[in-house]
């Protein structure tokens, strides 16, 4: 049990695909042959270099089996439900057909090897985003299984998330009551900064926070939040504290240039408070400023707890960002996730 | 903001008891040939024939995101005698320097300065000409103005040579780069600039803008001017991160960097994020001998306009106090549409003493005015 909270819900755990051989049972014969004949051993993503300290805590190096998750997290912390958010590079490959087949296999692997083996688990439908048709097809294929509680994309895509080409995907999310989860990570179609490729992984990891700003800016200015008011956006592993300062700028700009985007007919901060939710690991702030940062956020409903297993964000069981007020914990660790994910509510005991 | 107001009597902000320093004024040329006296025949012809070739695809540096206003300027900034905003010294005196009692104004020339041009040699020729033009058209005529050493920043050695030429000239108070460079600003190709600036005792300013050649966000090209304007603050974050993590301030510890028109509300969260993740990743960057946030605190200054606009003024105070009251500099951005009026820019929620430092005290110390 963490901080005496019961029935806690973890919105960001990362099952690690050990290699391509783990996925081939979930491919058709053509793609299985491709993997074997072309010697595709792994397509692990550079977003989390396998041996980098951030990628796995020293005591969480084994993270490719459901028994690892049970032993390291679910059992000791009394987690009632956890949402799997795999980060293997299936949707990042350049060939759209390959991305579609590999991502389909990834989602089926998650279902068979995680969801079917522990009733506490839920998962994300990882989307191949080359082609909106492929993404919608994957949503339609998996949405009938209510254990898939959201759709999932990387924050740095090929084109900004708000662009109209992606809207059929958002329509499908709304149709099935699935939030759109946007997770840290790049598909590497663009440099991870807008001024080119940085030298160090520390810079690259830091740049996720810039990616979240641009992506949220795009969703707001293109009109996604206004057009789909029922759509919930969940920002995973974003760092959180970039949010309000970015909106202070965007909202001020909007006051001066809103004639350009007249469909944004409410202040961006209001739209975000209604429709955007964030996981709280990592939480980029020292403990002493956390109350002020929460005061800026101005809303108790927006943050959801995540372990971010097996990424190294904290040690031991310091899984709640230091400085979080005790009074917020019931919402943070359970209530806000239940309010965000309709499909989680269906599987909850009182 | 772009609101036509009755002309007020001249007045300086009452809190500006140490002086009023405006660190962001954008002078313009009267006509494209104004630089010719300092350009060789060859480069005059190049300018005439091919123009500025920025990394975005439109002739003459015309922006790919059309501005919200003509030339992004205040409607009332066109001089009555003709010409474009801030191209007429007398009208700039009337509308800005005299109107508000500006004691020192820092010029940051934007295009056609040649910064970020595809051709580094041409960029260097234009930068040199722009600096001579600043001296001739502005600095020698108006003692309240200071110039910025415009450099062809994507060519480090050529930039260093231009800085060396201006070292010791009291007309210039800083080196000017744009915030969107071809590579992250901490990369070694830019170190000659920092070395020369440190040696000359000149701060290096990064003014929001420019085209790196890469997509304007790390997730691709956005659609709207609204996004472009907001993305300046985002790119500037990457530049601060790069300068810190590449160890620029370890290598050049006396270097002072000024982020101009980049906003500042993001500074605390960028510093926190670096510190937070440096805990696990510091093994990668042993060249950093202090916490990342300490380099930001020690070596980087930030200008006000455009100030982020929190819902409650105390949140602005939080942010400013986290950055450091001694690191914030007043800027008007004259003559642009989002000009900050010196009399209205700083909230009364900020104590008079702190406003005094932001209006002038901090800049006087930074630039040694």
């Amino acid at each position: 049990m963490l901080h005496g909270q019961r029935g806690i819900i973890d919105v960001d755990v990362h099952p690690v695909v050990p290699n391509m051989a783990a996925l081939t049972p979930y491919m058709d014969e053509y793609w299985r042959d491709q993997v074997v004949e072309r010697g595709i051993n792994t397509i692990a993503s550079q977003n989390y270099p396998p041996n980098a300290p951030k990628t796995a805590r020293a005591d969480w190096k084994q993270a490719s089996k459901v028994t690892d998750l049970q032993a390291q997290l679910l059992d000791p912390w009394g987690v009632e439900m956890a949402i799997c958010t795999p980060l293997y590079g299936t949707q990042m490959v350049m060939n759209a057909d390959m991305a579609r087949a590999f991502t389909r296999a990834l989602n089926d692997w998650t279902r068979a090897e995680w969801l079917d083996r522990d009733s506490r688990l839920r998962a994300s439908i990882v989307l191949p985003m080359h082609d909106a048709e492929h993404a919608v097809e994957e949503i339609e294929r998996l949405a009938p299984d209510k254990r898939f509680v959201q759709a999932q994309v990387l924050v740095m895509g090929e084109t900004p998330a708000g662009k109209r080409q992606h809207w059929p995907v958002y329509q499908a999310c709304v149709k099935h009551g699935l939030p759109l989860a946007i997770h840290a990570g790049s598909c590497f179609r663009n440099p991870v900064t807008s001024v080119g490729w940085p030298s160090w992984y520390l810079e690259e990891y830091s740049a996720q926070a810039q990616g979240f700003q641009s992506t949220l800016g795009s969703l707001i200015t293109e009109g996604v939040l206004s057009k789909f008011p029922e759509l919930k956006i969940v920002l995973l592993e974003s760092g959180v504290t970039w949010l309000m300062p970015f909106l202070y700028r965007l909202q001020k700009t909007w006051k001066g240039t809103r004639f350009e985007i007249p469909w944004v007919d409410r202040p961006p901060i209001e739209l975000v408070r209604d429709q955007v939710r964030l996981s709280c690991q990592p939480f980029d702030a020292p403990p002493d400023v956390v109350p002020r940062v929460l005061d800026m956020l101005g809303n108790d409903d927006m943050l959801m707890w995540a372990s971010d297993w097996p990424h190294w964000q904290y040690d031991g069981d310091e899984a709640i960002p230091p400085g979080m007020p005790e009074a917020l914990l019931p919402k943070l660790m359970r209530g806000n996730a239940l309010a965000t994910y309709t499909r989680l509510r269906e599987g909850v005991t009182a | 903001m772009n609101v036509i107001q009755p002309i007020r009597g001249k007045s300086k902000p009452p809190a500006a008891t140490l002086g009023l320093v405006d660190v962001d004024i954008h002078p313009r040329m009267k006509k494209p040939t104004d630089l010719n006296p300092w350009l060789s025949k060859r480069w005059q012809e190049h300018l005439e024939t091919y123009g500025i070739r920025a990394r975005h695809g439109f002739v003459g540096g015309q922006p790919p995101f059309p501005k919200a206003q003509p030339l992004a300027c205040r409607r009332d900034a066109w001089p009555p005698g003709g010409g474009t905003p801030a191209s007429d010294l007398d009208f700039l005196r009337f509308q800005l320097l005299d109107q508000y009692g500006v004691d020192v104004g820092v010029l940051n020339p934007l295009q056609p300065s040649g910064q970020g041009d595809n051709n580094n040699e041409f960029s260097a020729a234009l930068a040199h000409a722009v600096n001579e033009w600043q001296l001739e058209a502005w600095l020698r005529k108006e003692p309240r103005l200071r110039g910025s050493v415009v450099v062809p920043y994507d060519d480090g050695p050529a930039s260093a040579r231009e800085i060396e030429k201006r070292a010791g000239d009291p007309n210039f108070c800083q080196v000017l780069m744009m915030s969107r460079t071809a590579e992250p600003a901490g990369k070694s190709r830019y170190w000659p600039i920092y070395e020369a600036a440190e040696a000359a005792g000149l701060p290096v300013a990064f003014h929001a803008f420019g085209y790196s050649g890469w997509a304007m966000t790390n997730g691709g090209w956005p659609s709207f001017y609204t996004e472009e304007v907001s993305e300046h603050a985002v790119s500037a974050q990457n530049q601060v991160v790069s300068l810190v993590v590449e160890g620029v301030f370890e290598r050049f510890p006396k270097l002072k960097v000024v982020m101009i028109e980049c906003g500042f509300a993001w500074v605390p969260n960028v510093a926190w994020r670096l510190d937070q993740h440096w805990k696990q990743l510091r093994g990668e960057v042993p060249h950093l001998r202090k916490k990342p946030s300490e380099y930001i605190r020690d070596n980087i200054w930030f200008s006000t306009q455009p100030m982020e606009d929190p819902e409650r003024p105390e949140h602005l105070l939080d942010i400013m106090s986290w950055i450091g009251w001694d690191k914030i500099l007043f800027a008007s951005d004259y003559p642009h549409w989002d000009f900050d009026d010196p009399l209205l820019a700083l909230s009364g929620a900020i104590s008079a003493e702190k406003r005094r430092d932001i209006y002038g005290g901090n800049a006087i110390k930074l630039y040694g005015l």
Side-chain angles (χ1 to χ4, degrees), chain A residues 53-54 156-160 163-164 190-203 205-211 213-214 217-218 221-222 238-239 241-242 244-246 248-250 252-257 259-261 263 269 273 282-286 289 292-293 295-296 312-314, chain B residues 1 68 179-184 187 212 214-227 229-235 237-239 241-242 245-246 261-263 265-266 269-270 272-274 276-278 280-281 284-285 287-288 306-312 314-315 318-319 322 337 340:
Chain A
K54 183 57 76 180
M156 300 177 212
E158 184 158 0
T159 54
K163 292 263 185 183
R164 313 285 156 84
N190 302 287
V192 297
T193 89
S194 57
V195 292
W197 297 98
S199 304
W200 306 95
Y201 181 69
L202 174 57
E203 293 176 76
Y205 192 75
S206 298
Q208 306 293 347
Q210 282 76 52
Q213 292 167 62
S214 304
S218 174
T221 57
E222 297 272 0
S238 78
T241 55
W242 53 271
M244 294 311 291
F246 173 69
Y248 295 154
R249 171 79 183 251
L250 182 70
K252 183 175 187 178
T253 305
W254 168 77
K255 286 179 186 168
T257 64
F259 65 86
E260 188 191 30
I261 44 174
W263 46 84
I269 292 177
R273 287 201 178 118
F283 193 92
D284 297 332
V289 304
R292 299 303 297 156
V293 170
D295 195 50
M296 290 179 187
W312 185 16
Q313 305 292 6
Y314 49 88
Chain B
M1 301 294 261
S179 62
R180 286 204 185 94
T181 44
E183 286 194 89
K187 291 261 187 180
S212 66
W214 305 106
M216 192 164 278
T217 84
N218 53 15
W221 285 98
S223 303
F224 306 113
Y225 177 66
T226 305
E227 291 177 281
V229 169
S230 309
E231 289 300 329
H232 288 314
V234 180
S235 298
Q237 295 165 36
N238 292 127
Q239 297 293 40
V241 168
S242 175
V245 177
E246 293 277 8
E261 205 175 337
C262 297
W266 47 268
N269 60 269
V270 166
W272 297 334
R273 183 168 178 83
L274 280 174
Q276 180 104 338
H277 300 288
W278 175 71
Q280 294 96 26
L281 298 171
E284 187 198 25
V285 286
H287 52 277
L288 298 188
M307 258 185 291
E308 284 86 349
D309 195 10
E311 297 160 292
R312 302 211 309 270
E314 64 263 35
H315 291 151
D318 284 335
I319 290 165
W322 291 331
W337 69 277
D340 265 358

Side-chain angles (χ1 to χ4, degrees), chain B residues 81-236:
Chain B
T84 53
S87 65
D88 180 315
L89 175 56
D90 281 335
F91 192 62
L92 183 133
R93 285 173 173 139
F94 167 76
Q95 199 166 42
L96 182 69
L97 302 181
D98 298 343
Q99 178 68 38
Y100 296 103
V102 174
D103 295 290
V104 178
V106 178
L107 301 182
N108 293 308
L110 303 177
Q111 294 296 357
S113 65
Q115 288 191 312
D117 192 88
N118 275 329
N119 182 325
N120 278 344
E121 215 181 323
F122 179 50
S123 183
L126 277 175
H128 176 77
V130 169
N131 294 332
E132 292 296 324
W133 166 78
Q134 286 185 78
L135 284 166
E136 174 82 10
W138 303 90
L139 305 176
R140 291 191 186 116
K141 293 177 177 164
E142 175 49 70
R144 285 173 289 185
L145 294 177
R146 298 289 182 284
S148 295
V149 182
V150 173
V151 292
Y153 48 74
D154 282 323
D155 182 337
S159 298
R161 288 194 292 278
E162 187 62 29
I163 294 167
E164 283 154 16
K165 273 180 216 153
R166 311 297 168 186
D169 181 343
N171 283 302
F172 291 97
C173 71
Q174 65 182 7
V175 171
L176 180 65
M177 296 173 69
M178 293 290 112
S179 62
R180 286 204 185 94
T181 44
E183 286 194 89
K187 291 261 187 180
S188 57
R189 65 185 283 176
Y190 302 110
W191 292 356
I193 301 174
Y194 309 137
E195 185 176 16
E198 188 188 45
L202 293 170
V204 173
F206 288 84
H207 188 284
F209 234 81
Y211 294 91
S212 66
W214 305 106
M216 192 164 278
T217 84
N218 53 15
W221 285 98
S223 303
F224 306 113
Y225 177 66
T226 305
E227 291 177 281
E228 185 194 28
V229 169
S230 309
E231 289 300 329
H232 288 314
V234 180
S235 298

